[in-house]
């Protein structure tokens, strides 16, 4: 920790880390058994993820796949009427190369992938989507987009008014836009839960668990929840603190869409998509001492590791989903929280 | 940190803490100037909140008010048809005292306030709302509701099938239900931004900021964001880590609804509601050493302090909202991130 | 049609009506076989609902149940700060009888059931929930709530500013609030689809249909749809035009939450909830000549019939859900639209 | 009306039509004064829109602009894992010309614009976006997409399972996806309300109306409404019935996003976007006798007229928004409903 990294430094918060695992991951980048560091003060969290990981590992492991990847900054351009806004949008469509050149001039690792456009009234929102290497990329994309916007303003034939964010990025908050269009990594974890193993380890029948899924999904839809699964935020927050991620991004990262099918033989295919998982293996808090150690324990520190970390995150989330779902169904959810001996006001 | 509080303990994550403030709060519980500990690895976060706090303090401070307060557990009862589900709902309505007695028998500080009912198809979701004293209360409400449900099952004239959660609580995830019906504290922060002070400190005119609000609100609505303000999650995550809160609850706590009016004299009334802020001054991680110190620095450790902490959280959030809004408007948002010298992939 | 019922009357729109049915309904109010009038210009709509009704009728009919029923008007009271708004809310809670007396003084059939309260910043939204007999009740509740608000203003010890609607009613638009808290009738339709009959009539296996449900639900969640079923709006719009309902209320009424379970024997339990179905059998357009005839054909005209009509609506919606789901699955969806010979640009 | 256009034809529903206007529209396609036919049984609807139109016309008229235009069909492809789904998506991206050729082979007027891709777990949703000329296009896009999918299945190197809709189209239901990505026409109506004229015609000050906007927007966000304006569904439903549109599409079409700014001189710029307005001037019910007459009255029947109709729809909606907003603010909302003498249960 060097002076200057945080303003008005007064000390450090110490959060206990427990290890869960091994978790067998069958990713494109993460392959093998992982012990996952979870920094938390919640009793039973590590134990709960641990038993989910045991189940998944015994079932053969978790497939994990990053299916989309981009970070964004979304300026808004304000016009005197809707027609001018539309005209501007066409101009942007016709000048992709120049805009890319300007934005990429500010960064070594960021690449401008495309620019989404969304119009509301006389407002034209652009959503600059970048690949950002091993960084989360919020600052990189801000700087690159600012350069692009300034250049646009300098060459566009009419006067332009814009702000670098028009609140659709959406940064540090959950949004349905991000669930649909991805912010950070869109990563899927999948496993086939074997009927006998679920009964043995969790005391739960796959058919009952699948019946319960129908109820959970109805509840999530009724509640307009950001996650029709269980509690992705729990494991992710603990992983984020341990590995130096920006914990505020739990707001975006905890969104999830689950999907399952019960097979004829009673095995249960279960998948979960994290559509806006924001992680980094470089920059930000990843270089702080204990955080770096945790990343290194996962072999996820530094260049070329970010998709590996994303895969591990998703696999760990799936373990937590199954563990909590079974605890609720089996009725040992409350008693499990009693044993660690805390939380007794 | 005692053995047994976390499973498979391997050490601690260390997160740097910076102090922002003083922030003058005019709450019912928090009154006076506060220095707010923020544990973060994000550069500029402390500086950004700091200047927002300076502005608000010079403007006379932030009013903060807890307007609603309850934590919940929401079991689902499953019936063979919708008519039986409705009939069960009526029975629950007719037996409030007995249900309260059973649930409260499990806790010293929890009080059952009321039970919301929501039916979907043959599913009857109950939402048990409790006051939980100075604890966040997720475990307390789980235990109390489990006791109530078991009692209901034992006396209800027909067979009952239920699960202790039907995914509408909604725990560890943002939901619109929570935004509407409150989870934890519903707390409002309000301030009147004086025109001259905003210009002096932020270099921004209140009229421009208010014009920008109209754009932001359109963007937030378009994006279906959990917050039509800026970045509540940022300050809250840092405060949560510093003070031993359950960081996974950022998923619920970061939701926000802002409201503003520009006054005839150019002053700007600005308010923000956090509809599901989950905080504690007792239990969970609040008793860990550094976390407890941070709570004590705010005079927020232990019994009778939770509403004070909630007020400080909301006031700090408002400071961050204004600071970021001005940075985007003024154009120094990107350059501010350059100075602390990190995040340079 | 008498002069004066519509301003600047120039004639009538004529919409063709087809009959679908018989549909066997096992409601509390609607019992027996119904032929359902559908006014539409969409080819195949009547045929599609018809085959769904045939299936459901052969399967033994549709259970239909109104599980909640209230119409609302939701004024907003505006205060100088959040504390005053909260104080006002408590006053309202403490004066239910007087408020009820004032509001009910304006109507013969409306009854004030309860007043929900929702605070955002210094705004206190009240949601007056009424039973409104056989009328839809938007005007009745407006008038009753206006009287209540004026009385409140006259007796409340401080000055009050309010508007009769603060945009949370939410009138003439879908909202998640209405999905959760009911607007109009919350009505459930349920049926058990017998495996052999589905195969015979639709050429579809219940297991395949249930597998497809998992996909549909994922899609609806991804899209943040107002209906995780298929196309409730289709049948409802046709029924609304035929029977003189306020067609603008399709915006509220088309929301739906479906739920299903596949039974061990391969039969498929399927239910759908319409959480904000707005219908009337008295007032508005129900008294126009052709509309009244259609209502009379269902024995749904006039006093004491509104729940019967609501049950028929929900049962008809369920028929359409199953028919479309099977058409998509079976692959005859497109070819079905070819046969009636229209829509060929 | 020819036999065969509707199944089991039994007669026609007659809905009274009133005329509102003149409404001065400054569109790209609709230019001049229009009398708008509204088929409704709701008392005061025509009068309310009429006074809004008078105001807007006296203020110089309504700018109307179609800013985006496409209809879609959204099949879902189901894979054994997420990696295969992603691989398929890349294949689709690499074969745009062949896919376009196949889909367009089925239609004279439809053009495939692009294909959006959205992955959830092992499901790959494609969203085929077409321009559809003067038809609404739901059937055309269904047929074209079916042809494309069958061709893809025939040439893709692996076995493929798909359904022609995966419930993200989203057809006959509101969805946030449609609000963001457009379904049908995305059309904006804009006007500058002159301070003196609003006071004269509505008895309302623009400053008060703009203050009220802040409250309305907070309410709409709290309610998670499909429209942060007032009641677009009201005028649209009446226009749809009068002009032979598919009334079920009110579910999609009633969504709206409004935006406003108060100018220094007290004039009020007000805009509303209808992001998923579905209208046609050809096909479906547009050819029925009275419906065709209404379209002809607007000079909107037949080829090349659909954007003109869309502009008129949006302009009419804006008139209704302002009229209702002023009625609520001025306090004559309830009394206005009393005068036409209906709705008196």
């Amino acid at each position: 920790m060097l002076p200057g990294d945080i303003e008005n430094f007064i000390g450090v918060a110490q959060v206990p880390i427990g290890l869960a695992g091994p978790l067998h991951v069958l990713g494109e980048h993460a392959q093998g058994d992982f012990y996952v560091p979870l920094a938390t003060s919640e009793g039973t969290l590590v134990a709960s993820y641990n038993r989910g990981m045991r189940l998944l590992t015994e079932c053969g492991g978790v497939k994990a796949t990053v299916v989309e990847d981009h970070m964004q900054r979304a300026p808004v351009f304000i016009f005197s009427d809707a027609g001018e806004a539309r005209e501007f949008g066409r101009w942007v469509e016709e000048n992709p190369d120049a805009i890319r050149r300007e934005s990429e001039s500010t960064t070594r690792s960021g690449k401008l992938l495309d620019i989404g456009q969304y119009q509301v009234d006389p407002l034209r929102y652009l959503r600059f989507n970048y690949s950002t290497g091993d960084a989360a990329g919020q600052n990189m994309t801000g700087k690159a987009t600012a350069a692009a916007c300034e250049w646009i303003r300098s060459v566009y034939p009419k006067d332009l008014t814009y702000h670098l964010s028009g609140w659709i990025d959406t940064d540090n908050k959950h949004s349905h836009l991000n669930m649909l269009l991805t912010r950070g990594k869109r990563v899927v974890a999948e496993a086939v839960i074997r009927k006998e193993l679920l009964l043995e380890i969790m005391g739960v029948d796959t058919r009952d668990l699948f019946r319960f899924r129908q109820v959970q999904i109805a509840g999530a839809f009724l509640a307009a929840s950001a996650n029709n699964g269980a509690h992705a935020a729990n494991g992710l927050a603990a992983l984020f603190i341990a590995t130096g991620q920006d914990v505020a991004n739990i707001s975006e990262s905890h969104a999830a869409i689950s999907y399952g099918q019960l097979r004829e033989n009673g095995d249960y295919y279960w998948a979960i998509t994290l559509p806006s998982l924001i992680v980094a293996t470089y920059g930000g808090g990843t270089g702080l001492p204990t955080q770096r150690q945790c990343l290194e324990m996962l072999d996820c520190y530094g260049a070329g590791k970010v998709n590996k970390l994303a895969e591990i995150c998703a696999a760990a989330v799936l373990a937590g989903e199954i563990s909590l779902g079974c605890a609720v169904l089996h009725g040992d959810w409350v008693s499990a929280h009693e044993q660690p001996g805390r939380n007794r006001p």
Side-chain angles (χ1 to χ4, degrees), chain A residues 143-170:
Chain A
K143 193 177 172 185
T145 305
C149 289
E150 280 303 296
W151 176 82
I152 291 170
R153 177 151 64 182
S154 71
V155 300
Y156 192 70
K158 299 182 183 179
D159 279 351
L160 283 178
T161 298
Y162 77 91
H163 303 301
L164 189 51
S165 173
W167 267 220
I168 75 155
D169 311 87
T170 47

Side-chain angles (χ1 to χ4, degrees), chain A residues 266-328:
Chain A
D267 289 351
Y268 186 164
Y269 168 83
W270 191 329
I272 192 162
T273 296
L274 304 179
S276 49
L277 177 69
I278 304 177
V279 288
T281 56
Y282 184 72
T286 61
L288 295 172
T290 59
Q291 288 81 342
R292 178 173 173 166
Q293 284 174 29
C294 284
L295 284 171
E296 287 172 343
M297 190 164 53
L298 296 164
D299 184 31
C300 282
Y301 181 70
K305 300 292 188 185
V306 73
N307 284 333
K308 183 176 184 180
L309 180 60
E311 291 174 352
I312 294 170
C313 285
V317 162
L318 185 59
E321 298 291 293
I322 294 171
S323 183
L324 178 58
C326 288
V328 173

Side-chain angles (χ1 to χ4, degrees), chain A residues 77-297:
Chain A
F77 289 75
I78 303 171
F79 296 89
S80 60
D81 66 26
E84 295 208 354
R86 188 188 59 187
E87 181 189 336
F88 171 74
R90 287 178 185 160
W91 187 93
V92 170
E93 272 178 17
E94 290 162 3
N95 289 277
D97 295 336
I99 295 172
R100 179 176 300 107
R101 188 191 60 229
E102 295 299 320
S103 61
E104 293 184 357
S105 71
T106 63
T107 166
R108 271 175 298 144
S109 54
K111 300 292 170 200
L112 178 59
L113 303 174
D114 57 68
I115 302 175
Q117 299 205 27
Y118 309 91
Q119 185 165 339
V120 173
D121 302 314
L123 311 172
R124 193 86 181 180
Y125 295 87
L126 305 185
R127 193 165 178 264
F128 285 69
N129 294 307
Y130 298 86
S131 66
T132 61
D134 293 284
Q138 293 99 326
N139 295 337
M140 176 201 299
T141 58
K143 193 177 172 185
T145 305
C149 289
E150 280 303 296
W151 176 82
I152 291 170
R153 177 151 64 182
S154 71
V155 300
Y156 192 70
K158 299 182 183 179
D159 279 351
L160 283 178
T161 298
Y162 77 91
H163 303 301
L164 189 51
S165 173
W167 267 220
I168 75 155
D169 311 87
T170 47
D171 210 357
N172 283 313
K173 47 204 176 198
H174 167 74
S175 74
H176 200 79
L177 188 152
N178 284 344
M179 184 171 274
L180 193 60
L181 300 179
T182 304
R183 177 169 173 84
K185 273 67 182 160
R186 190 177 198 92
V187 55
V188 181
E190 309 170 90
V192 176
I193 313 301
R194 288 180 45 207
K195 181 180 171 64
E196 314 78 44
L197 287 169
L198 192 77
L199 197 61
E200 179 191 322
I201 295 174
M202 304 288 190
V204 166
D205 189 277
T206 50
R207 291 184 192 279
D208 294 333
L209 196 57
F210 190 65
R211 288 184 63 83
F212 187 23
R213 164 181 289 274
Q214 310 305 319
V215 176
Q216 295 166 330
I217 285 171
F221 192 73
L222 174 69
S225 176
N227 176 359
N228 69 354
H231 65 144
N234 240 348
L236 288 177
L239 243 165
F240 274 29
I241 297 175
T243 61
Q245 310 302 316
D246 186 345
V247 180
N249 295 145
I250 286 297
S251 53
E252 293 118 315
S253 302
H254 86 283
I257 313 178
S258 66
Y259 169 77
Q261 293 284 3
L262 190 68
R263 297 187 170 173
E264 288 292 316
N265 67 356
D267 289 351
Y268 186 164
Y269 168 83
W270 191 329
I272 192 162
T273 296
L274 304 179
S276 49
L277 177 69
I278 304 177
V279 288
T281 56
Y282 184 72
T286 61
L288 295 172
T290 59
Q291 288 81 342
R292 178 173 173 166
Q293 284 174 29
C294 284
L295 284 171
E296 287 172 343
M297 190 164 53

